[in-house]
Amino acid sequence: MADDSSHDDGPVQGRRGFLGQASNFAMAAGLVGGYGAFGAVAARYLYPARPDTGSWQFVADLARLGVGDSLRYQAPGGETVNITRRARDGVAEDFIALSSTCPHLGCQVHWEDANQRYFCPCHNGVFDSAGVGTAGPPGDAGQTLPRYPLRVDGNLLFIRVPTARLVADAASSGRVIDDDCASAPGHDPCLSPLARPPRDGELG
Ligand code: FES
């Protein structure tokens, strides 16, 4: 009698073969994924991300600011900075660059030379000439305005700002901006969602 069992097992064998291949594929994918994740962790351990040390950007001629004057600069990445002149020696130490974004709720602060302070009109926040909160919500919370490094080359003033956001917004360039918010009370005219101060370690 002819043995026709091979005919009966055909579909079963086919199903088993398919299931076997699928399981092999799943195992291989799992191994690749596992090794990939392990590799990523190992790479992060061996080559930790370096802090963003920033790039130097031109701000203005030194003569643009007299002692006691302040201008507002917007970096290519959107950060806004008050640059205030405190001396006339022609060196970077004549100036101080502090974020103009209030660490309380993000309004724009401005320099008041007569009071030797930075002032935030939204909730009467006050900072001393070094950017340390002394009154209002920033004073209560012990908040400060992040500081940016400055450099003088000849008669030109440069500021170092984070580069991470320059890459994302490479089309724009830094510029001095009018201080529209200095006299504008309330939140809306002064809120600047783009004006993020640098994170810890971005600038040294
Ligand atoms: S946002 Fe500046 S004090 Fe509130």
Side-chain angles (χ1 to χ4, degrees), residues 102 104-107 120 122-123 125 137-138:
C102 182
H104 178 223
L105 289 179
C107 291
C120 178
C122 289
H123 310 103

Side-chain angles (χ1 to χ4, degrees), residues 51-65:
D52 181 359
T53 54
S55 74
W56 290 101
Q57 302 283 316
F58 169 70
V59 177
D61 290 355
L62 300 191
R64 178 159 185 166
L65 284 177

Side-chain angles (χ1 to χ4, degrees), residues 101-109 119-127 135-139 143 187 191:
T101 302
C102 182
H104 178 223
L105 289 179
C107 291
Q108 292 293 290
V109 308
F119 182 68
C120 178
C122 289
H123 310 103
N124 296 326
V126 177
F127 304 83
Q143 295 171 314
H187 290 72
L191 283 172

Side-chain angles (χ1 to χ4, degrees), residues 24-98:
N24 288 342
F25 177 77
M27 199 182 307
L31 282 173
V32 168
Y35 281 124
F38 174 76
V41 171
R44 210 174 309 147
Y45 177 77
L46 291 171
Y47 307 103
R50 289 197 195 139
D52 181 359
T53 54
S55 74
W56 290 101
Q57 302 283 316
F58 169 70
V59 177
D61 290 355
L62 300 191
R64 178 159 185 166
L65 284 177
V67 175
D69 290 345
S70 187
L71 62 75
R72 206 140 57 95
Y73 169 82
Q74 184 170 42
E79 300 88 349
T80 52
V81 183
N82 283 318
I83 300 175
T84 307
R85 187 159 195 173
R86 306 190 291 193
R88 192 183 292 280
D89 297 330
V91 294
E93 290 71 26
D94 287 0
F95 303 85
I96 184 168
L98 299 168

